[in-house]
Amino acid sequence: MRRSPCARECTPDLALRLLLRAITCASDAPLTAEQYTRLEAIGAAMQYGEHIVDHVKYLVEQA
């Protein structure tokens, strides 16, 4: 299968935003607290505002 140039040359910013979108679309797959913490750390490292990553916080499993 041939991949598009976009798939090979995706910026880290776009990759994280696409991942967050995919997580939202697969809302039947909850996030663990550890996974969410890692996403927050990545968002902070990329200097995202607090509302970029936290819109998937509702998917964190309540233990």
Side-chain angles (χ1 to χ4, degrees):
M1 178 196 289
R2 186 171 175 213
R3 294 184 181 166
S4 70
C6 181
R8 289 179 294 196
E9 299 172 13
C10 186
T11 66
D13 175 63
L14 180 58
L16 182 58
R17 288 176 185 268
L18 288 172
L19 174 62
L20 292 170
R21 177 64 61 108
I23 290 170
T24 302
C25 292
S27 61
D28 59 330
L31 292 171
T32 65
E34 180 182 293
Q35 290 170 323
Y36 181 76
T37 299
R38 290 186 352 218
L39 287 171
E40 278 186 316
I42 294 168
M46 297 179 84
Q47 299 181 343
Y48 282 173
E50 63 184 79
H51 299 292
I52 298 296
V53 174
D54 76 350
H55 77 274
V56 297
K57 190 171 187 170
Y58 72 96
L59 295 170
V60 176
E61 296 174 320
Q62 300 299 319

